[in-house]
Amino acid sequence: MSDKIAQHRGKTGPDTETSNAWSVSVRYGSGFAGGVLVGTGLGWAADKVFEIAPWGMLVGMILGFAAGVRNIMREAAAANAENAAKAEETEHKAGTMPGSDATKED
């Protein structure tokens, strides 16, 4: 049963490059927006508790922006490591050594 499903998905499934790019962009955007929203919300809460408006929200927004950028950087580093591992695996399967000049002609 699962073989039939896999065959069907292989024929009619979405283009993997396009869907992968879309999922990566949504993940980056949601990580960034989440950082900014959480930082702003915590700053707003600090404003209400300590009555220091608007400074809590401003500081929270700045810290949230930094956290969002950090989330994007972390995701990008993980994606780069995954792509490097896939490239190394592909080279290994092809019979070339990583970093070798097997494809160059003298």
Side-chain angles (χ1 to χ4, degrees):
M1 180 73 167
S2 62
D3 292 336
K4 288 183 180 181
I5 293 172
Q7 288 174 352
H8 179 70
R9 286 184 181 164
K11 292 178 184 175
T12 61
D15 183 86
T16 56
E17 288 292 324
T18 305
S19 63
N20 188 28
W22 177 253
S23 66
V24 168
S25 64
V26 168
R27 187 172 54 220
Y28 285 3
S30 63
F32 179 74
V36 173
L37 289 175
V38 168
T40 303
L42 290 174
W44 177 80
D47 281 344
K48 294 296 180 187
V49 171
F50 300 115
E51 297 178 2
I52 56 171
W55 299 109
M57 187 181 288
L58 289 173
V59 170
M61 193 179 305
I62 291 168
L63 292 175
F65 183 85
V69 169
R70 182 173 177 249
N71 287 341
I72 291 174
M73 297 292 286
R74 186 183 311 152
E75 290 287 334
N80 284 339
E82 182 180 327
N83 287 338
K86 284 181 183 178
E88 187 173 311
E89 182 180 318
T90 302
E91 286 178 358
H92 182 64
K93 285 182 180 178
T96 60
M97 298 286 292
S100 71
D101 294 335
T103 59
K104 292 184 180 179
E105 293 182 19
D106 290 329

